[in-house]
């Protein structure tokens, strides 16, 4: 009963900032929670969606090794089709060393397994921090919480040495190596996606500012006593240009396409790639930024993912690329990426909200 009373108070008075829930869901699990507090229970319309038929892995898998041989044109066509049809695809033979991936996953797990007091040293509700432990996406707007904790780390421009975590040991070197390799991969993908639009290979990247920024989130989804009542991450689309996601072997990522949720089955030594809102704008709607979510399945093992967001600089002016509006009129109004960030932060995401603010009226 105590948790239920607190949950109602949080919802009505929006006092999340001063509640125990700021310490995160791993804190609840470590303290023996047997039934989730009401504040984590999704509303009925979300729970209906949770029981909706989820189709198995049909997300395209692209072998990037083909970019360097005679099959290059087929690989480029596959990437274009995936960006158009799905907004999501997985890549294998991507060039990121296995050692780098394993070291990053190791420090990710060790951070989230630290005592709560040590993680809370890095807690912040302010996105300007170079790194921060966070458990609630939006303290001012959110009324239903997600079953996850995460660590946010700014990677590019490179932070000063003091702005990397000192604990767990080895975090700085692992995170720097990982972010460097993922950045190389993102550049390869942006070039391929540009060529898929019949543009120069640097077309998309040039639109993101002098040097696109890079942030990663280490998401931690602990076991849940009532997984059928929660979401790890609510349905949303990513506001930036491109996301490179590393999954462990635990399932949980789902993508919405043509009225169905599709599970993205984890593949060994693969990355999940998804188109961001601003790339949909730049491509004038040819590439799709789609809704996706994370669910918490039954099981007693925590799930870990690392999402690397490749974003325009805040000053970058984003609009449909001119060559792509010669036949079809522009679908989105020009704006700075800071406008997108401000809009998304002003509300709590629930579905594909970011792009809606920048669509031009249909003149047909």
């Amino acid at each position: 009963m105590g948790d239920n009373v607190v949950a109602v108070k949080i919802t009505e008075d929006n006092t999340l900032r001063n509640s125990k829930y700021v310490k995160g869901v791993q804190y609840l699990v470590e303290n023996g929670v047997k039934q989730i507090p009401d504040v984590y229970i999704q509303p009925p319309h979300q729970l209906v969606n949770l029981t909706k038929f989820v189709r198995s892995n049909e997300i395209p898998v692209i072998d990037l090794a083909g970019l360097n041989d005679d099959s290059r044109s087929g690989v480029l066509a596959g990437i274009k089709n995936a960006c158009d049809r799905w907004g999501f695809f997985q890549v294998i033979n991507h060039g990121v060393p296995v050692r780098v991936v394993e070291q990053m996953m190791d420090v990710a797990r060790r951070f989230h397994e630290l005592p709560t007091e040590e993680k809370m040293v890095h807690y912040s509700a302010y996105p300007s921090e170079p790194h921060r432990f966070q458990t609630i996406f939006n303290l001012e707007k959110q009324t239903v919480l997600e079953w996850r904790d995460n660590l946010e780390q700014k990677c590019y421009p490179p932070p000063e040495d003091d702005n990397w975590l000192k604990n767990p040991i080895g975090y700085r070197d692992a995170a720097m190596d990982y972010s460097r390799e993922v950045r190389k991969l993102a550049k390869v993908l942006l070039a391929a996606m540009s060529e898929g639009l019949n543009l120069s290979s640097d077309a998309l990247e040039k639109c993101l500012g002098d040097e696109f920024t890079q942030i990663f989130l280490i998401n931690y989804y602990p076991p849940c006593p009532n997984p059928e009542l929660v979401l790890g991450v609510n349905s949303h689309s990513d506001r930036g240009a491109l996301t490179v996601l590393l999954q462990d072997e635990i399932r949980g990522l789902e993508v919405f396409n043509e009225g169905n949720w599709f599970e993205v089955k984890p593949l060994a030594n693969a990355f999940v790639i998804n188109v961001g809102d601003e790339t949909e704008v730049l491509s004038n709607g040819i590439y799709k930024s789609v809704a996706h979510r994370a669910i918490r399945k039954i099981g007693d093992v925590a799930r870990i993912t690392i999402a690397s967001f490749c974003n325009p600089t805040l000053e970058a002016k984003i609009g449909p690329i001119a060559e792509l509006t010669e036949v079809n009129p522009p679908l989105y109004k020009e704006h700075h990426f800071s406008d997108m960030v401000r809009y998304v932060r002003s509300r709590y995401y629930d579905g594909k909200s970011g792009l809606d603010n920048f669509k031009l009226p249909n003149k047909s």
Side-chain angles (χ1 to χ4, degrees):
M1 180 177 178
D3 278 339
N4 292 343
V5 172
V6 173
V8 172
K9 179 174 171 41
I10 288 172
T11 302
E12 293 178 351
D13 298 340
N14 202 20
T15 55
L16 284 174
R17 192 181 302 274
N18 301 315
S19 77
K20 67 180 179 182
Y21 301 110
V22 168
K23 294 183 178 181
V25 289
Q26 178 64 6
Y27 171 79
L28 297 178
V29 171
E30 289 174 350
N31 282 273
V33 64
K34 301 299 183 185
Q35 183 173 353
I36 63 170
D38 287 357
V39 75
Y40 290 97
I41 298 177
Q42 293 293 319
H45 72 278
Q46 292 283 23
L47 295 178
V48 170
N49 285 338
L50 284 178
T51 63
K52 191 174 180 64
F53 176 64
V54 177
R55 301 176 66 176
S56 188
N57 194 33
E58 298 184 33
I59 307 299
V61 179
I62 309 292
D63 187 344
L64 294 185
L67 288 175
N68 301 313
D69 59 31
D70 293 342
S71 57
R72 178 178 176 83
S73 60
V75 174
L76 292 175
I79 291 174
K80 178 182 180 181
N81 180 66
C83 292
D84 177 7
R85 166 77 172 79
W86 289 94
F88 266 79
F89 55 99
Q90 298 202 64
V91 293
I92 57 175
N93 293 319
H94 42 67
V96 180
V98 173
R99 171 188 57 82
V100 171
V101 171
E102 290 177 344
Q103 289 176 347
M104 188 66 229
M105 267 295 186
D106 175 63
V107 296
R109 186 176 300 279
R110 286 193 286 124
F111 171 79
H112 281 291
E113 290 176 350
L114 289 172
T116 299
E117 294 73 18
E118 293 186 39
K119 289 183 290 189
M120 288 301 292
V121 169
H122 305 288
Y123 175 81
S124 175
Y126 302 104
S128 59
E129 298 291 341
H131 65 255
R132 59 176 179 146
F133 176 58
Q134 58 176 349
T135 56
I136 300 170
F137 179 80
N138 190 323
L139 282 167
E140 308 304 326
K141 304 286 185 179
Q142 199 166 347
T143 56
V144 180
L145 304 187
E146 298 166 324
W147 196 262
R148 70 155 174 172
D149 301 335
N150 70 64
L151 174 68
E152 179 181 285
Q153 174 72 64
K154 290 183 170 62
C155 306
Y156 201 95
E160 300 292 332
D161 284 350
D162 288 344
N163 289 330
W164 297 92
L165 295 182
K166 304 297 188 296
N167 191 20
I169 295 172
Y171 172 86
R172 175 183 174 276
D173 289 343
M176 288 180 67
D177 288 347
Y178 181 78
S179 60
R180 188 182 304 116
E181 293 294 336
V182 167
R183 189 173 186 84
K184 291 178 189 176
L185 173 60
K187 285 175 173 284
V188 169
L189 292 167
L190 287 168
M193 291 163 64
S194 295
E195 291 183 50
L197 295 168
N198 295 317
L199 302 172
S200 63
S201 61
D202 62 350
L204 285 173
E205 187 173 347
K206 284 197 305 185
C207 294
L208 306 182
D210 293 336
E211 290 276 1
F212 65 83
T213 65
Q214 192 177 347
I215 299 172
F216 68 60
L217 286 185
I218 301 175
N219 298 303
Y220 190 81
Y221 306 92
C224 179
N226 309 102
E228 73 283 359
L229 299 179
V230 304
L231 280 170
V233 181
N234 277 310
S235 174
H236 68 286
S237 62
D238 294 344
R239 66 192 181 201
L242 186 74
T243 303
V244 179
L245 178 76
L246 176 65
Q247 301 192 89
D248 66 10
E249 69 280 5
I250 308 298
R251 299 182 181 192
L253 174 62
E254 296 179 352
V255 175
F256 195 70
N257 185 276
E258 296 183 351
N260 285 306
W261 286 103
F262 290 79
E263 181 182 68
V264 184
K265 182 179 178 181
L267 298 178
N269 198 28
F271 286 99
V272 181
I273 311 300
N274 68 278
V275 173
D277 289 346
E278 297 294 35
T279 295
E280 178 168 332
V281 172
L282 291 168
S283 72
N284 201 32
I286 296 174
Y287 292 162
K288 307 300 190 299
S289 176
V290 302
H292 51 285
R293 67 184 183 183
I295 68 169
R296 177 65 245 196
K297 291 182 177 288
I298 295 173
D300 57 2
V301 178
R303 177 174 181 256
I304 298 178
T305 67
I306 303 173
S308 296
F309 301 101
C310 303
N311 295 334
T313 62
L314 291 176
E315 302 80 18
K317 188 173 286 188
I318 306 296
I321 294 173
E323 294 94 317
L324 303 178
T325 61
E326 293 173 356
V327 176
N328 298 311
L331 300 178
Y332 301 98
K333 58 187 176 183
E334 196 173 65
H335 58 276
H336 292 98
F337 182 55
S338 57
D339 299 324
M340 174 70 81
V341 172
R342 191 177 305 111
Y343 177 72
V344 172
R345 285 182 182 165
S346 71
R347 54 186 296 170
Y348 179 63
Y349 56 71
D350 182 11
K352 198 172 184 300
S353 61
L355 279 173
D356 295 340
N357 192 50
F358 301 98
K359 289 181 179 178
L360 289 170
N362 189 341
K363 296 180 181 180
S364 60

